[in-house]
Amino acid sequence: MTYQEMKVTIPGKTFTQFGKKILISQIQFSTLEAIFEVDDAVQRKLDLKRRSEIREFIIESVAEGDFYFSPFIFSSRGNIKEVPDGGELPPGCKIYILDGQHRTYGLLSAINHLRARMETEEEMGNFKEAKQLQSQIDKLKTYPVSIQIYLDLETKEEKQLFNDINTKRKEPHVGLVMQYDQRDEYAELTRLIAGQLENLMEVESKLSRITVNNSALTSLTVMRRCLIALFEGSLTSNDNKVNHGELTRDRIVSVARLFFESWLEIFPKKMTDRKKFTAGYTGIQIALAQTVYQIHKHYDISYEEAINQLLLLKVACSWKHDDPLYAHIYDPVKKRIINHSATNAMQRTALGFKRKIEQEGVQMIDTK
């Protein structure tokens, strides 16, 4: 039986947002591959370069450990029938992608590339390597994709939602939001920690972006994004509630402060000199936070132990723009890193940090 011939059950919970029903779920990529479709009338044309960049990130990541994507967004166009524990998609029906097209095709492309490499290794008699590649393929096929499915949008509403997601809208000044928003738990946590660190480092509290000549090491806005990457592994999340998990509020504050204090140990003395060093760049700081999250999860060690591993970068990374760890974002003409805060760039930077830590001090980490 194929997915076209059978009903697909999608476990999850249904919520109503602005009068529209949304099914929140997590399914294996192999299932998603079989039931999604792209409507060219709603989606933009596939950017082959972007797909290639995502594919390369996925292939690098799956060989090293884990990687993380924010939720994909779909529209069911009335195809999904609500049931007590989720939804049911009838045989032959599809869900239509609104956000996540390039990540979806990046995953498909990664699987196809790994299959081609596996066949080559088999034909050359390298069965051990082929087995490793098959393991990576299986991991991608079973990769848990978080999805949000709008159940009853009309095509006109799909186009509007797509535009809303992909168009920069005029938002309240981020600096002001970070200073005064009492509803955002991450912003509140950021303000608390920044206050505790005020005698150790300068934090820009009003501007959302720091210019190259700014004397501050970081900003409230960047610190907030670091916290989301640190505790959730997300580089794009806009959540305003802290994902506590099993951590107490005091422990979260302690871990967060320890992370930011570690910068003073691993960065060069002139860390705010952005013309010479990268320590003050948004993408580098957020990538460090995700590195800690990845090590914490991958090796099942405490946050404190994971943060301690960053000390290995003090010697392993020069923090200069032309450091080999930044090869993917270094512009030899401009002689500095560029596009460092793009999601794919930060993912690759974090992967590079994690790989370097493992090379320099893998003996310090007890693997699972």
Side-chain angles (χ1 to χ4, degrees):
M1 293 281 285
T2 66
Y3 282 107
Q4 292 297 314
E5 300 169 320
M6 60 189 295
K7 174 178 62 181
V8 177
T9 299
I10 303 176
K13 293 184 178 181
T14 303
F15 300 89
T16 299
Q17 185 179 57
F18 302 115
K20 299 297 179 181
K21 289 186 176 180
I22 306 174
L23 174 62
I24 309 295
S25 181
Q26 189 177 77
I27 60 176
Q28 290 188 355
F29 180 69
S30 59
T31 301
L32 178 62
E33 177 186 1
I35 64 174
F36 93 94
E37 193 164 299
V38 173
D39 185 344
D40 293 333
V42 176
Q43 273 286 341
R44 66 177 58 157
K45 185 178 179 181
L46 183 69
D47 185 331
L48 299 182
K49 181 180 179 181
R50 188 177 176 194
R51 181 190 65 181
S52 175
E53 291 174 349
I54 295 175
R55 178 192 69 221
E56 294 307 310
F57 163 73
I58 292 170
I59 290 175
E60 288 182 15
S61 299
V62 75
E64 298 293 329
D66 299 317
F67 60 97
Y68 309 92
F69 283 142
S70 57
F72 295 38
I73 302 177
F74 296 85
S75 173
S76 77
R77 297 183 176 178
N79 287 332
I80 290 180
K81 175 186 176 183
E82 290 183 69
V83 294
D85 296 319
E88 292 179 349
L89 187 66
C93 291
K94 298 284 187 176
I95 58 175
Y96 297 84
I97 196 160
L98 298 180
D99 184 52
Q101 177 185 206
H102 289 90
R103 285 170 288 164
T104 301
Y105 281 115
L107 279 161
L108 285 171
S109 183
I111 291 172
N112 290 333
H113 271 64
L114 290 173
R115 280 175 176 161
R117 286 171 52 189
M118 183 187 71
E119 290 175 2
T120 300
E121 296 293 350
E122 287 177 337
E123 291 169 1
M124 295 176 63
N126 299 326
F127 298 110
K128 181 179 179 180
E129 288 78 5
K131 186 176 180 180
Q132 292 176 341
L133 290 169
Q134 181 62 63
S135 176
Q136 293 172 19
I137 293 169
D138 293 340
K139 188 173 182 178
L140 292 182
K141 291 173 69 175
T142 58
Y143 178 77
V145 181
S146 297
I147 59 175
Q148 300 175 6
I149 308 174
Y150 284 84
L151 302 183
D152 52 5
L153 291 183
E154 297 178 359
T155 304
K156 177 182 177 181
E157 294 171 317
E158 291 179 356
K159 292 180 179 179
Q160 183 62 54
L161 179 58
F162 174 81
N163 288 331
D164 288 346
I165 293 171
N166 292 280
T167 303
K168 291 183 178 179
R169 293 163 290 173
K170 190 70 175 178
E171 302 287 354
H173 190 285
V174 180
L176 293 176
V177 172
M178 287 302 303
Q179 289 184 76
Y180 303 115
D181 192 350
Q182 302 298 319
R183 301 165 300 174
D184 188 324
E185 290 185 11
Y186 273 114
E188 182 183 0
L189 179 61
T190 302
R191 291 192 296 268
L192 172 64
I193 295 168
Q196 295 179 357
L197 297 174
E198 63 180 351
N199 293 327
L200 298 177
M201 64 177 70
E202 183 179 350
V203 177
E204 173 59 60
S205 61
K206 296 181 179 180
L207 301 177
S208 59
R209 293 188 179 183
I210 299 180
T211 62
V212 67
N213 294 316
N214 195 306
S215 61
L217 176 59
T218 189
S219 69
L220 290 178
T221 303
V222 176
M223 288 179 69
R224 178 185 181 277
R225 293 185 63 188
C226 284
L227 292 177
I228 294 175
L230 183 65
F231 293 112
E232 300 187 26
S234 175
L235 300 174
T236 58
S237 173
N238 289 317
D239 290 346
N240 58 17
K241 290 188 177 298
V242 178
N243 182 10
H244 292 275
E246 297 180 355
L247 299 179
T248 64
R249 171 80 174 183
D250 288 344
R251 178 86 186 286
I252 287 175
V253 172
S254 174
V255 167
R257 177 168 177 168
L258 184 64
F259 168 71
F260 291 116
E261 288 178 340
S262 73
W263 293 2
L264 304 177
E265 294 289 329
I266 65 176
F267 288 158
K269 289 184 177 180
K270 296 184 178 180
M271 60 188 77
T272 59
D273 183 351
R274 292 177 175 81
K275 293 181 179 179
K276 186 175 182 180
F277 298 110
T278 62
Y281 279 75
T282 298
I284 306 307
Q285 294 176 357
I286 298 173
L288 278 172
Q290 198 195 47
T291 300
V292 173
Y293 178 84
Q294 290 180 355
I295 292 175
H296 163 66
K297 288 290 186 180
H298 185 73
Y299 292 101
D300 194 20
I301 60 176
S302 69
Y303 269 109
E304 289 82 358
E305 291 175 290
I307 292 171
N308 189 54
Q309 301 304 314
L310 294 183
L311 296 177
L312 293 168
L313 293 175
K314 182 174 183 178
V315 176
C317 180
S318 68
W319 305 107
K320 294 182 178 180
H321 289 261
D322 60 353
D323 190 280
L325 283 171
Y326 306 138
H328 58 293
I329 50 177
Y330 180 67
D331 186 327
V333 177
K334 296 180 179 179
K335 298 186 182 301
R336 61 178 174 83
I337 58 173
I338 60 173
N339 301 324
H340 52 87
S341 58
T343 301
N344 292 337
M346 291 190 291
Q347 289 172 328
R348 293 186 66 181
T349 303
L351 180 63
F353 285 150
K354 178 173 177 285
R355 185 179 294 162
K356 177 60 70 172
I357 287 171
E358 291 168 337
Q359 291 173 349
E360 295 294 322
V362 70
Q363 74 277 359
M364 297 177 65
I365 306 175
D366 293 325
T367 58
K368 290 182 179 179

